[in-house]
């Protein structure tokens, strides 16, 4: 893979629909708008994934639907084990797909997505200013973008949030 996009789902309702659990929480109207804006921002910058690995939660799938509307058809894998997954699980999925020659997106949840981004930043010796940007957390709808070299080492390329696009 030559690029990796780590994205957190957009803003979700605080409560699940009657009879549902946390996995069933949908996006808020603001979350739907933010996800659509993020899809447009990714497309405008040429950050178009070839493969999207999406958590099976309702909110991540709804986020993906909004993003996909802006970027077009992409191979998608909806994976149960990405729901509320720790950074190690997310990283394992990235490594399984590292031979993909294109761009891979992982669309999942905090704290795992945030921790994985920070791990990659530390491993790539990102500047203190970049690390400080991530110290405040990983907001809903946010994306961390990494370029990946031939040896599979990521380096920080950019940070997009609904507030910044």
């Amino acid at each position: 893979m030559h690029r990796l996009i780590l994205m957190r789902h957009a803003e979700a309702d605080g409560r699940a629909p009657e009879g549902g659990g946390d996995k069933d929480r949908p996006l808020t109207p603001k979350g739907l708008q933010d996800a659509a804006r993020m899809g447009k921002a990714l497309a405008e910058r040429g950050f178009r994934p070839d493969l999207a690995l999406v958590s099976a939660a309702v909110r991540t799938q709804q986020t993906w639907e909004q993003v996909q509307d802006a970027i077009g058809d992409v191979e998608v894998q909806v994976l149960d084990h990405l729901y509320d997954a720790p950074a190690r699980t997310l990283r394992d999925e990235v490594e399984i797909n590292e031979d993909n020659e294109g761009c891979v997106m992982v669309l999942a949840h905090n704290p795992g997505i945030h921790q994985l981004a920070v791990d990659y930043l530390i491993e790539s010796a990102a500047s203190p200013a970049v690390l400080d940007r991530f110290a405040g957390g990983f907001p809903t709808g946010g994306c961390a973008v990494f370029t990946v070299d031939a040896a599979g080492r990521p380096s920080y390329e950019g940070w997009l949030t609904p507030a910044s696009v």
Side-chain angles (χ1 to χ4, degrees):
M1 109 187 89
H2 71 272
R3 182 172 285 135
L4 173 64
I5 301 169
L6 301 178
M7 184 173 189
R8 182 180 177 197
H9 64 80
E11 181 183 272
D13 278 335
R15 294 178 28 187
E18 178 130 359
D22 181 67
K23 197 172 182 180
D24 301 309
R25 292 190 300 129
L27 294 182
T28 64
K30 178 184 182 303
L32 289 166
Q33 291 175 343
D34 286 350
R37 265 198 355 259
M38 290 301 292
K40 184 177 177 186
L42 289 166
E44 288 171 350
R45 290 162 177 80
F47 297 152
R48 183 187 181 282
D50 299 295
L51 171 65
L53 306 170
V54 181
S55 158
V58 169
R59 59 192 178 272
T60 50
Q61 291 182 64
Q62 288 180 325
T63 300
W64 171 247
E65 289 167 5
Q66 296 300 309
V67 170
Q68 188 176 30
D69 282 348
I71 61 174
D73 283 339
V74 171
E75 179 184 351
V76 180
Q77 294 178 20
V78 176
L79 304 170
D80 282 328
H81 66 277
L82 296 186
Y83 169 68
D84 209 21
R88 181 71 248 174
T89 300
L90 300 175
R91 185 181 196 124
D92 288 346
E93 200 60 47
V94 168
E95 290 172 359
I96 288 167
N97 290 283
E98 68 187 356
D99 290 337
N100 180 320
E101 293 187 21
C103 176
V104 174
M105 173 186 272
V106 178
L107 179 48
H109 311 265
N110 265 357
I113 204 80
H114 179 229
Q115 186 59 56
L116 182 57
V118 170
D119 290 349
Y120 283 147
L121 290 168
I122 291 169
E123 291 169 22
S124 66
S127 73
V130 170
L131 287 168
D132 282 348
R133 195 173 303 156
F134 283 80
F138 205 111
T140 54
C143 292
V145 183
F146 296 87
T147 301
V148 182
D149 69 16
R153 293 177 300 244
S155 61
Y156 176 73
E157 185 173 354
W159 172 243
L160 302 170
T161 67
S164 71
V165 297

